[in-house]
Amino acid sequence: MRYSTEDFHYDCPSELIAQRPLPDRAASRLLILDRRSGRIDHGAFSDFPTLLEPDDVLVVNASRVIRARLHGRRENGRDAQVLLVHPEPDGTWLAMVHPGGKLQTGRTIAFGDEAVLEVVDVIGGGVRRVRLSGSLDWSDLMERYGSVPLPPYIKRSADAEDRDRY
């Protein structure tokens, strides 16, 4: 079976979308669907362990959010945005850039006087390969110029509370 993003589209009133997580994440609401009967119940995430059956498989996402959204300046002084997607073995990163049409191979984005990203390849699908030069490494660049990327349905700017607290 093949899926597309349209298969997961549904209307959700914006006033029902939490803009911040609860301080106690276990208190988050949980929609419970019984697939056999179609019955829908409402619970709390703390109920989750009681819903598991002995042969169920639980997959835990242990990924961490990094400050991957970078704000810099193009050669003409205009703003540019880079979303780092994946590091490559050769030291470059795959990234999504804005404005994409203006940031073709050879174009650069400056981050103060400390770092420059050069677009070294246009991969397709909005993705570019970028190389870093200057006095900062990738980690320092993200720490100094990056922010946590929030999904488009979160209508606020990222702040310190959005960073992983581990």
Side-chain angles (χ1 to χ4, degrees):
M1 181 175 228
R2 295 193 57 133
Y3 294 99
S4 81
T5 55
E6 289 301 311
D7 295 327
F8 301 96
H9 179 75
Y10 59 92
D11 291 321
C12 183
S14 59
E15 64 271 10
L16 297 180
I17 299 173
Q19 296 299 300
R20 293 202 173 274
L22 293 173
D24 176 11
R25 300 254 176 128
S28 297
R29 295 188 305 173
L30 182 66
L31 181 102
I32 304 164
L33 169 66
D34 184 320
R35 291 180 9 179
R36 284 169 272 192
S37 69
R39 179 182 162 172
I40 294 175
D41 288 314
H42 298 274
F45 191 76
S46 58
D47 300 330
F48 182 72
T50 66
L51 303 172
L52 295 173
E53 300 289 334
D55 290 332
D56 286 347
V57 174
L58 179 63
V59 178
V60 177
N61 179 353
S63 62
R64 296 187 62 191
V65 177
I66 61 172
R67 297 174 68 147
R69 186 177 307 278
L70 305 169
H71 299 275
R73 297 237 178 250
R74 296 184 278 156
E75 297 104 329
N76 62 10
R78 294 191 175 150
D79 290 341
Q81 194 174 128
V82 178
L83 179 62
L84 298 174
V85 177
H86 187 270
E88 294 290 284
D90 65 357
T92 62
W93 273 72
L94 297 183
M96 296 168 52
V97 299
H98 179 79
K102 305 286 184 190
L103 291 165
Q104 299 297 320
T105 303
R107 298 294 180 143
T108 61
I109 304 164
F111 300 88
D113 294 329
E114 304 165 299
V116 173
L117 287 186
E118 178 186 358
V119 176
V120 294
D121 196 11
V122 176
I123 305 298
V127 177
R128 308 285 192 270
R129 182 181 316 278
V130 295
R131 178 182 317 133
L132 175 64
S133 62
S135 62
L136 300 178
D137 63 18
W138 288 105
S139 179
D140 292 334
L141 177 70
M142 286 184 268
E143 187 64 34
R144 189 160 299 160
Y145 293 97
S147 63
V148 173
L150 296 178
Y153 51 84
I154 301 296
K155 303 298 184 196
R156 62 177 179 78
S157 297
D159 58 32
E161 288 187 31
D162 295 311
R163 301 227 19 219
D164 281 333
R165 291 172 253 176
Y166 303 103

